[in-house]
Amino acid sequence: WGRVTGERSLIDSIPNGVVPRAKVLTIDTMNPTVKNVEYAVRGPIVARAVELEKELSEGMKKPFAEVIKANIGDAHAMGQQPITFFRQVLALCSYPELLNDSTFPEDAKSRARRILQSCGGNSMGSYSASQGIDSVRQDVARYIERRDGGVPCDPDDIYLTTGASDGIMTMLKLLVCGEGVTRTGVMISIPQYPLYSAALAELGAVQINYYLNEEKCWSLDISELQRALDEARHHCNPRALCIINPGNPTGQVQSRECIEDVIRFAAKEGLFLMADEVYQDNVYADGCQFHSFKKVLFEMGPEYSDTVELASFHSTSKCYMGECGFRGGYMEIINMDDEVKAQLTKLVSVRLCPPVPGQALMDLVVNPPQPGEPSYDNFIKERTATLSALAEKAKLTEQILNTVHGISCNPVQGAMYSFPRIIIPEKAVKEATDKGQQPDMFYCMKMLEETGICLVPGSGFGQKDGTYHFRMTILPPRDKLQILLNKVKEFHQKFTKHYS
Amino acid sequence: WGRVTGERSLIDSIPNGVVPRAKVLTIDTMNPTVKNVEYAVRGPIVARAVELEKELSEGMKKPFAEVIKANIGDAHAMGQQPITFFRQVLALCSYPELLNDSTFPEDAKSRARRILQSCGGNSMGSYSASQGIDSVRQDVARYIERRDGGVPCDPDDIYLTTGASDGIMTMLKLLVCGEGVTRTGVMISIPQYPLYSAALAELGAVQINYYLNEEKCWSLDISELQRALDEARHHCNPRALCIINPGNPTGQVQSRECIEDVIRFAAKEGLFLMADEVYQDNVYADGCQFHSFKKVLFEMGPEYSDTVELASFHSTSKCYMGECGFRGGYMEIINMDDEVKAQLTKLVSVRLCPPVPGQALMDLVVNPPQPGEPSYDNFIKERTATLSALAEKAKLTEQILNTVHGISCNPVQGAMYSFPRIIIPEKAVKEATDKGQQPDMFYCMKMLEETGICLVPGSGFGQKDGTYHFRMTILPPRDKLQILLNKVKEFHQKFTKHYS
């Protein structure tokens, strides 16, 4: 019986050791779905930014003194300070000897004791239950109930995750089946956060694009959902609808009415809803408010709340915490079929458990210091300072960008990014196309080389044909952000002049 | 255009709200590969153990006072203490204010400073590079060089992971392609650690079983590898060979000769080698020694070291650390095709980064206190105490189990488990079969209900037809382990008597 790959037979016919063996794993023989994965937020432009940093550190001369990575929502890397209380509790949990240290506040100690008591052998070094530590899931459930004005939450519907990305990936994995026209299709907004397209590519699911309306501040139109769905039904089996609210990269905050419409649409069309709500505390614009899909669903009455399947995702990485490195998160699962839930629990058990320090941190986020506790005032002070600064920077970003001819930026109502539209001159579009580059990648690469500012081109998130954008975080400190925005302004003017 | 699923059309013909909507996601419409996943280490027997714990805590009367979970290698949960130095550094990294605390030793502080300087904004809350923090990867490379007697290691070949499971899953994902007889097959030992079978099921790859030789202390015979491979070539495309050394669940430690033979076999047959070496410090038996696949490969000369593709895996969860909850780990990639490596880097970037506290812990494992540093003596004392206790418990387990008629246990040369063979009487086999249960699941379930001891049946790891085993960790404290083993002995005698 011969071998399946031709290459090996060839090699075998040559005396051993004379020519190098062919690789087992090559670009042609690797998993094709992995090849289809793209992830712009850490794509080629970031690789180049890292190179430039290295070149700078080696003393190479550049037209800038430092590389500023405004490509990713990495708050602490941009100088945001962690919440003192959270870090005190994490230190106590890491090294419980500190429970005897009188300089730590009592509320931090009592939180640490509660977390440690829920860990096997009172150690964060033990595996937790695969679904997450019981007491943390209980705290998450109570947090959701408070947030949603009393709508009940069952800790058994909470799964702690390794960041929100992990939960989203796991849910999509459950949903994928069929082949050809019965292959699972998943609706995602365009522009989207590229985790979604990457996950769908890896799973071999069909990506169904629905476009957000840039003219109406990136709002979601049900008629556009319907168009995308009706078209998709010709070639796949649409089964899920993903929403990011507040939006990434687009920063819009959905109205209650819009959420109701989306839920009605999902119910009518038989779609599983996935609500990515990791920016739930990041709402800045007047008149905007975060409404959770869970709350709206339950307020629409049992016709919806008893039937519509919903997974919602949260994380320790965003909001006022910005603790990306700990990879903490949770998902809440509503109306999931019991047998599927058992399969979900089994699936997550293969990875054993989410990182316990991330679980501990998630616990602190959902159970922060309360009025009357020693750390309360400082916690509120720190949280408010971070959120006010973000609100101010959201405004500043919009203002400065909109002073530039050829850049138009919607209000950054929430989240951590601006996603302005940019006019790229015809000549530049042609030069990029000749090089086989997306015009906005060409633009961002030029900006990086000339200014040291690292942004992500809009093509990495998806955009209407013929339009160009970039995503830029609002996270740098105010003064630095202002300098940054002015550099972007200058670059854009120079670029436009050069290619006009 | 009609909908693809029949169910929805049925529901649509009934007035809205009168009958509950059909679920979008059901056991019949979910991802079929997920359904095929099994993971015995956290399977039904553990679910029952958790129930029993709850019943006990609610005051229900049981024939035992506590449930002892000897099903999983969860050292801290069994009372093993963390290494003080590691936890001091983690506390310092979590709450850098402590760098001003004079009670922390200077070497802990300097390690913490080095880690924090490698983090964006000097915070563990920042994302790291997707491949892991640069300085940690450098420390890992130096550790591997020391371990392997100077064989060079390039930090660029190191990927930090979320525990070893994550790395193994990622590598398998890269390898899977083809359909039908060209579908990727992966060779795994039987008995195996069920992460492998679970991952292969989820990826839809073909599992190729090769049997370890229980009569020869669970050693690996090349003739058995050849048999398994030759048979598999009839129905799939075998591309990878997975080895666990020291073995899980079987505890054997491979000889240098055996590893050479395996490498020669992989080279001859064109197989990608995956070496799971997470128990590399857990070697107890006289005359046994850990040899890394990397070292042996390089000592075999360029004919092998320049060509054989190898991924090896390590973790913070086992050895003397037992820090499972932090989900730290790394993999080293040897001779991987450059284009594939670029794809690997892209793939891991979608998950952003492994948890930073786990990366920090991995750094400490590969760069522990050195002679002359203030924490050195205590570190050595703690490490030695843990490893000696494990060695003693490995011996004790083998001794007591082999006093039982109907149980035979190979020496626990390494790792953290015994995997004794048990004779199950015909009558019990029949009763189990009538119930649709595996006989060793039936046996373990009875033991759990009668003694509170939670073991994993051999069928969860795979075993020769007609043989039965269980896996039991050697982790409980010595006194408790002795009581546990005697309870197992009593149970086995009672069970055998009952069914004879």
Side-chain angles (χ1 to χ4, degrees):
Chain A
W1 189 267
R3 279 154 191 169
V4 179
T5 49
E7 282 173 301
R8 298 289 319 157
S9 320
L10 178 72
I11 297 303
D12 288 344
S13 64
I14 297 169
N16 205 8
V18 174
V19 289
R21 286 182 193 90
K23 298 269 185 207
V24 177
L25 188 58
T26 66
I27 194 84
D28 297 323
T29 64
M30 67 173 283
N31 188 335
T33 65
V34 170
K35 276 191 277 188
N36 294 335
V37 169
E38 283 183 24
Y39 189 66
V41 174
R42 296 209 152 183
I45 198 148
V46 182
R48 180 63 189 142
V50 171
E51 270 176 30
L52 284 172
E53 274 183 328
K54 216 179 149 209
E55 291 174 13
L56 272 178
S57 76
E58 286 162 357
M60 215 179 277
K61 229 181 122 68
K62 300 283 167 195
F64 46 86
E66 65 168 330
V67 173
I68 300 172
K69 290 192 202 142
N71 59 297
I72 189 166
D74 193 0
H76 293 196
M78 285 288 151
Q80 184 181 310
Q81 292 305 303
I83 297 286
T84 303
F85 179 78
F86 292 177
R87 294 310 195 89
Q88 286 173 331
V89 178
L90 286 169
L92 290 161
C93 289
S94 299
Y95 187 50
E97 284 288 308
L98 291 170
L99 287 165
N100 304 318
D101 183 331
S102 59
T103 61
F104 280 81
E106 278 310 314
D107 49 355
K109 289 185 185 176
S110 72
R111 288 295 193 297
R113 276 193 208 96
R114 180 156 188 272
I115 291 167
L116 289 173
Q117 278 160 13
S118 309
C119 293
N122 297 321
S123 168
M124 285 209 296
S126 299
Y127 291 120
S128 75
S130 302
Q131 198 172 344
I133 297 173
D134 273 359
S135 67
V136 178
R137 292 191 291 116
Q138 286 158 16
D139 287 350
V140 168
R142 282 197 290 262
Y143 161 81
I144 292 174
E145 289 180 348
R146 284 196 309 274
R147 182 196 69 188
D148 291 345
V151 173
C153 177
D154 183 348
D156 207 40
D157 290 338
I158 305 298
Y159 287 73
L160 299 180
T161 58
T162 308
S165 303
D166 170 50
I168 292 165
M169 191 76 193
T170 300
M171 270 312 306
L172 289 173
K173 196 180 282 173
L174 286 182
L175 278 157
V176 173
C177 67
E179 291 303 328
V181 294
T182 69
R183 188 67 179 166
T184 293
V186 176
M187 304 186 73
I188 63 172
S189 60
I190 298 294
Q192 55 123 7
Y193 175 56
L195 164 69
Y196 290 91
S197 52
L200 295 176
E202 191 184 318
L203 294 165
V206 180
Q207 175 178 328
I208 305 170
N209 297 336
Y210 65 89
Y211 288 82
L212 300 175
N213 189 338
E214 182 163 17
E215 283 66 42
K216 290 190 187 163
C217 202
W218 297 114
S219 65
L220 189 161
D221 293 338
I222 298 298
S223 60
E224 167 59 10
L225 283 182
Q226 192 73 58
R227 177 207 62 76
L229 184 73
D230 291 347
E231 283 181 22
R233 286 218 158 101
H234 290 269
H235 59 87
C236 70
N237 180 14
R239 302 186 69 204
L241 169 55
C242 300
I243 307 279
I244 312 175
N245 178 49
N248 177 4
T250 39
Q252 83 285 12
V253 176
Q254 290 189 332
S255 68
R256 204 186 177 290
E257 294 66 41
C258 176
I259 294 172
E260 274 189 30
D261 289 345
V262 168
I263 291 172
R264 252 180 238 113
F265 178 81
K268 175 170 79 83
E269 300 292 351
L271 297 170
F272 192 109
L273 268 175
M274 290 178 54
D276 179 339
E277 302 180 323
V278 300
Y279 298 99
Q280 55 191 263
D281 293 335
N282 298 111
V283 176
Y284 317 117
D286 290 340
C288 285
Q289 197 191 331
F290 171 73
H291 303 275
S292 79
F293 267 76
K294 162 91 179 285
K295 179 170 195 254
V296 176
L297 178 67
F298 275 72
E299 288 173 357
M300 288 168 73
E303 183 188 340
Y304 295 95
S305 64
D306 288 353
T307 61
V308 174
E309 293 150 84
L310 168 69
S312 93
F313 305 91
H314 196 18
S315 152
T316 59
S317 304
K318 309 298 169 185
C319 299
Y320 62 93
M321 305 80 81
E323 296 275 15
C324 314
F326 282 78
R327 314 309 296 124
Y330 73 75
M331 57 180 176
E332 183 186 13
I333 305 293
I334 313 285
N335 289 322
M336 182 178 268
D337 177 87
D338 286 340
E339 284 178 300
V340 177
K341 207 169 155 190
Q343 293 285 328
L344 169 60
T345 305
K346 178 191 72 177
L347 182 62
V348 297
S349 78
V350 178
R351 299 275 189 139
L352 296 162
C353 69
V356 173
Q359 296 188 49
L361 191 53
M362 193 77 245
D363 190 53
L364 301 170
V365 171
V366 296
N367 186 18
Q370 299 304 309
E373 289 188 323
S375 303
Y376 180 73
D377 290 345
N378 192 50
F379 167 72
I380 294 295
K381 200 181 104 203
E382 290 178 350
R383 186 179 67 175
T384 308
T386 298
L387 290 175
S388 323
L390 285 171
E392 200 192 339
K393 292 187 280 188
K395 199 88 192 155
L396 182 74
T397 299
E398 180 200 347
Q399 278 169 352
I400 298 188
L401 288 177
N402 280 327
T403 64
V404 190
H405 186 74
I407 297 187
S408 56
C409 182
N410 270 320
V412 182
Q413 297 175 334
M416 296 182 166
Y417 317 97
S418 64
F419 194 70
R421 183 162 172 187
I422 49 176
I423 307 291
I424 299 186
E426 275 307 313
K427 267 196 213 165
V429 172
K430 189 171 177 315
E431 190 171 323
T433 316
D434 289 349
K435 284 187 171 178
Q437 258 184 351
Q438 293 287 343
D440 48 12
M441 172 63 92
F442 176 80
Y443 175 98
C444 289
M445 214 43 126
K446 284 248 178 236
M447 188 178 328
L448 175 62
E449 298 287 349
E450 290 179 22
T451 67
I453 299 170
C454 180
L455 307 178
V456 193
S459 46
F461 305 89
Q463 54 200 352
K464 260 195 190 155
D465 278 349
T467 70
Y468 306 109
H469 302 79
F470 59 73
R471 187 184 84 163
M472 178 177 156
T473 72
I474 60 169
L475 291 171
R478 199 193 180 288
D479 293 352
K480 204 163 180 175
L481 181 65
Q482 189 148 18
I483 296 170
L484 193 81
L485 288 163
N486 284 322
K487 279 188 169 190
V488 169
K489 182 176 181 166
E490 274 169 46
F491 169 80
H492 186 85
Q493 288 165 340
K494 212 174 121 191
F495 181 90
T496 305
K497 201 170 162 192
H498 181 80
Y499 285 103
S500 291
Chain B
W1 189 265
R3 278 152 193 172
V4 179
T5 49
E7 282 174 301
R8 299 284 321 155
S9 320
L10 179 74
I11 298 303
D12 287 344
S13 64
I14 297 170
N16 206 8
V18 174
V19 288
R21 286 184 192 89
K23 298 269 184 206
V24 177
L25 188 58
T26 66
I27 195 82
D28 297 323
T29 64
M30 67 175 282
N31 188 336
T33 66
V34 171
K35 276 191 275 188
N36 294 336
V37 169
E38 284 183 26
Y39 190 66
V41 175
R42 295 211 153 180
I45 198 148
V46 183
R48 180 62 189 143
V50 171
E51 267 177 34
L52 282 172
E53 273 182 332
K54 212 176 153 212
E55 290 173 13
L56 272 178
S57 76
E58 285 163 358
M60 215 179 279
K61 227 180 124 68
K62 299 283 167 195
F64 47 85
E66 65 169 329
V67 173
I68 300 171
K69 289 190 202 143
N71 59 297
I72 189 166
D74 193 0
H76 293 196
M78 285 288 152
Q80 185 180 309
Q81 291 305 302
I83 297 288
T84 303
F85 179 77
F86 292 177
R87 295 309 197 90
Q88 286 173 332
V89 179
L90 287 169
L92 289 161
C93 289
S94 299
Y95 186 51
E97 285 287 309
L98 291 170
L99 287 164
N100 303 318
D101 183 331
S102 58
T103 62
F104 280 80
E106 277 310 314
D107 49 354
K109 288 184 185 176
S110 71
R111 289 295 193 296
R113 277 193 208 97
R114 181 157 187 272
I115 292 167
L116 289 173
Q117 278 160 11
S118 309
C119 294
N122 297 321
S123 168
M124 285 209 296
S126 298
Y127 291 119
S128 76
S130 302
Q131 197 172 344
I133 296 172
D134 273 358
S135 67
V136 178
R137 291 190 294 115
Q138 286 158 16
D139 287 350
V140 168
R142 281 197 290 263
Y143 160 81
I144 292 174
E145 289 180 348
R146 284 196 308 274
R147 183 196 69 187
D148 292 344
V151 173
C153 177
D154 183 348
D156 207 39
D157 291 337
I158 305 298
Y159 287 74
L160 298 181
T161 58
T162 307
S165 303
D166 170 49
I168 293 165
M169 192 75 192
T170 300
M171 270 312 307
L172 289 173
K173 196 180 283 172
L174 286 182
L175 279 158
V176 173
C177 68
E179 291 302 329
V181 294
T182 69
R183 188 69 179 164
T184 293
V186 177
M187 304 186 73
I188 63 172
S189 61
I190 297 295
Q192 55 122 9
Y193 174 56
L195 165 68
Y196 290 90
S197 51
L200 295 176
E202 191 184 317
L203 294 166
V206 180
Q207 175 179 328
I208 305 170
N209 296 336
Y210 65 88
Y211 288 82
L212 301 175
N213 190 338
E214 183 163 15
E215 283 66 41
K216 290 190 187 164
C217 201
W218 297 115
S219 65
L220 188 162
D221 293 338
I222 297 298
S223 60
E224 166 59 11
L225 282 183
Q226 192 72 59
R227 178 206 61 76
L229 184 72
D230 292 346
E231 283 181 21
R233 286 221 156 101
H234 290 269
H235 58 86
C236 70
N237 180 13
R239 301 185 70 203
L241 169 55
C242 301
I243 307 278
I244 312 176
N245 178 48
N248 176 4
T250 39
Q252 83 285 11
V253 177
Q254 289 189 333
S255 68
R256 203 185 178 292
E257 293 66 42
C258 176
I259 294 172
E260 274 189 31
D261 290 344
V262 168
I263 291 172
R264 251 180 240 113
F265 178 82
K268 173 170 81 82
E269 300 293 350
L271 296 170
F272 191 108
L273 268 176
M274 291 178 54
D276 179 341
E277 302 180 322
V278 301
Y279 297 99
Q280 55 191 264
D281 292 334
N282 297 112
V283 176
Y284 317 117
D286 290 340
C288 284
Q289 197 191 330
F290 171 73
H291 304 275
S292 80
F293 267 75
K294 162 90 179 286
K295 179 169 195 255
V296 176
L297 177 66
F298 274 72
E299 289 173 355
M300 288 168 72
E303 183 189 340
Y304 295 95
S305 63
D306 288 353
T307 60
V308 174
E309 293 150 83
L310 168 68
S312 93
F313 305 90
H314 196 18
S315 151
T316 59
S317 304
K318 309 299 171 186
C319 300
Y320 63 92
M321 306 79 81
E323 296 275 14
C324 314
F326 282 78
R327 314 308 297 122
Y330 73 75
M331 57 181 176
E332 183 186 14
I333 305 293
I334 313 285
N335 289 322
M336 182 178 269
D337 177 87
D338 286 341
E339 285 178 300
V340 176
K341 207 168 153 190
Q343 293 285 328
L344 169 60
T345 305
K346 179 191 71 177
L347 181 62
V348 298
S349 77
V350 178
R351 300 273 188 142
L352 296 162
C353 69
V356 174
Q359 295 188 49
L361 191 53
M362 193 78 245
D363 190 53
L364 301 170
V365 170
V366 296
N367 186 18
Q370 299 303 309
E373 289 189 322
S375 303
Y376 180 72
D377 290 345
N378 192 49
F379 167 72
I380 294 295
K381 200 181 104 203
E382 290 177 350
R383 186 180 66 175
T384 308
T386 298
L387 289 175
S388 322
L390 284 170
E392 200 192 341
K393 292 188 281 190
K395 199 88 193 154
L396 183 74
T397 299
E398 179 199 345
Q399 279 169 352
I400 298 188
L401 288 176
N402 280 327
T403 64
V404 190
H405 187 73
I407 297 187
S408 55
C409 182
N410 270 321
V412 182
Q413 297 175 334
M416 296 182 165
Y417 318 96
S418 64
F419 194 70
R421 182 162 173 187
I422 48 176
I423 307 290
I424 299 186
E426 275 306 313
K427 266 196 211 164
V429 171
K430 190 174 176 314
E431 191 171 323
T433 316
D434 289 350
K435 283 188 172 179
Q437 258 184 350
Q438 293 287 342
D440 49 12
M441 172 63 92
F442 176 80
Y443 174 97
C444 289
M445 215 42 128
K446 284 248 178 237
M447 188 179 326
L448 175 62
E449 297 287 348
E450 289 179 23
T451 66
I453 299 169
C454 179
L455 307 177
V456 192
S459 46
F461 304 89
Q463 54 200 352
K464 260 195 188 155
D465 278 349
T467 69
Y468 305 109
H469 301 78
F470 59 73
R471 187 183 84 163
M472 178 177 157
T473 72
I474 61 168
L475 292 171
R478 200 193 178 289
D479 294 352
K480 204 164 178 174
L481 181 65
Q482 189 148 18
I483 296 169
L484 193 81
L485 288 162
N486 284 321
K487 278 187 170 190
V488 169
K489 182 175 182 166
E490 274 170 45
F491 168 80
H492 186 84
Q493 289 165 339
K494 212 175 122 191
F495 181 90
T496 304
K497 200 168 164 193
H498 181 81
Y499 285 103
S500 291

